[in-house]
Amino acid sequence: MGVLRVSDLVELLPAIVALTLLSVSPGLDTLLTVRNAARGGVADGVVTSFGICSGLFVHAVLSALGISVLLMQSAVLFGALKMAGAAYLTWLGWGSLRQALRGRGQQAAADSVQAVTQQQVSFWRCGREGLLSNLLNPKTIIFYMAFLPQFIDPAGAVLPQALLLAAIHFVIAMSWQSLLALLTCRVRGWVRLPMLRRLCHGVTGLVMVALGVRLALAKI
């Protein structure tokens, strides 16, 4: 595409609209960002979002190079990717369920200690959780394989165009998820209440496990 012109931006408008709708649609990315923000604060949510959005560039490169086509054509490779994503999602859900069960019967003083401990989760862990949840999601591969060709000029260099679309998606998704992290922490005082926090972890864990099982059983 070279240097962006006004005409290029007009042509990209449908892509921007589609990427915006995709980003604001509730899903695993939203769930993971909100969970980590409630666990450790705005910074944890933003770092999680950064990890999630960084995976978009990997998907863009794979799509541009045609590797995703090979995965989609190989039942064994694609099935392995799907099961890996389902297992990781279920593992994240189980972690939230353990936090919900561990909080049962704790007193207010112990609860305060736990709140401090939860804030000590490393940024590396948050970013890693976000990145892996994105890379191990086969639906993201399918989306990029179906989406990118509609907005790429085959007469030009494919990889730079794919990376440009991924960059646009990165900015949109990162902005939205960071806003969610901020809003989550605005009501975090409620979530710190023992019963509500356990309920939050429990519901989040159940949804993640259900999504993992659904992904494992789905014929994508």
Side-chain angles (χ1 to χ4, degrees):
M1 285 186 176
V3 179
L4 282 178
R5 302 183 299 268
V6 175
S7 58
D8 295 327
L9 293 176
V10 172
E11 292 178 0
L12 285 174
L13 186 58
I16 294 174
V17 172
L19 291 172
T20 300
L21 292 175
L22 175 68
S23 298
V24 301
S25 299
L28 174 59
D29 295 348
T30 301
L31 194 65
L32 191 59
T33 300
V34 169
R35 189 201 73 166
N36 287 2
R39 179 184 65 189
V42 177
D44 280 19
V46 172
V47 172
T48 301
S49 176
F50 181 82
I52 292 171
C53 297
S54 295
L56 301 175
F57 292 101
V58 177
H59 288 299
V61 172
L62 293 178
S63 298
L65 298 180
I67 296 178
S68 295
V69 176
L70 297 179
L71 284 175
M72 293 179 68
Q73 290 179 347
S74 172
V76 175
L77 289 176
F78 194 78
L81 177 65
K82 185 181 74 168
M83 294 307 297
Y88 183 68
L89 187 55
T90 303
W91 180 76
L92 287 177
W94 172 240
S96 289
L97 288 175
R98 282 191 306 170
Q99 288 185 344
L101 295 175
R102 196 172 5 186
R104 183 177 298 173
Q106 290 182 332
Q107 297 177 350
D111 181 72
S112 298
V113 173
Q114 184 183 14
V116 174
T117 303
Q118 288 176 345
Q119 293 179 1
Q120 295 176 349
V121 174
S122 68
F123 285 164
W124 164 249
R125 175 179 168 182
C126 294
R128 181 186 61 196
E129 287 178 348
L131 179 63
L132 289 178
S133 70
N134 184 274
L135 293 182
L136 294 176
N137 188 353
K139 291 186 177 181
T140 307
I141 292 180
I142 293 177
F143 173 80
Y144 265 71
M145 283 302 300
F147 178 82
L148 289 185
Q150 301 180 43
F151 301 97
I152 288 181
D153 181 7
V158 175
L159 183 57
Q161 296 180 72
L163 291 176
L164 173 61
L165 290 171
I168 294 174
H169 194 182
F170 180 96
V171 172
I172 295 173
M174 185 82 184
S175 300
W176 170 247
Q177 291 165 11
S178 297
L179 176 61
L180 287 179
L182 178 61
L183 293 176
T184 298
C185 291
R186 288 290 186 182
V187 297
R188 194 176 168 195
W190 300 348
V191 180
R192 279 180 177 163
L193 295 174
M195 181 176 296
L196 288 181
R197 191 178 65 246
R198 290 200 302 271
L199 178 62
C200 179
H201 283 306
V203 172
T204 299
L206 287 175
V207 172
M208 283 186 169
V209 171
L211 287 174
V213 173
R214 183 173 180 269
L215 176 60
L217 299 178
K219 295 181 179 180
I220 303 178

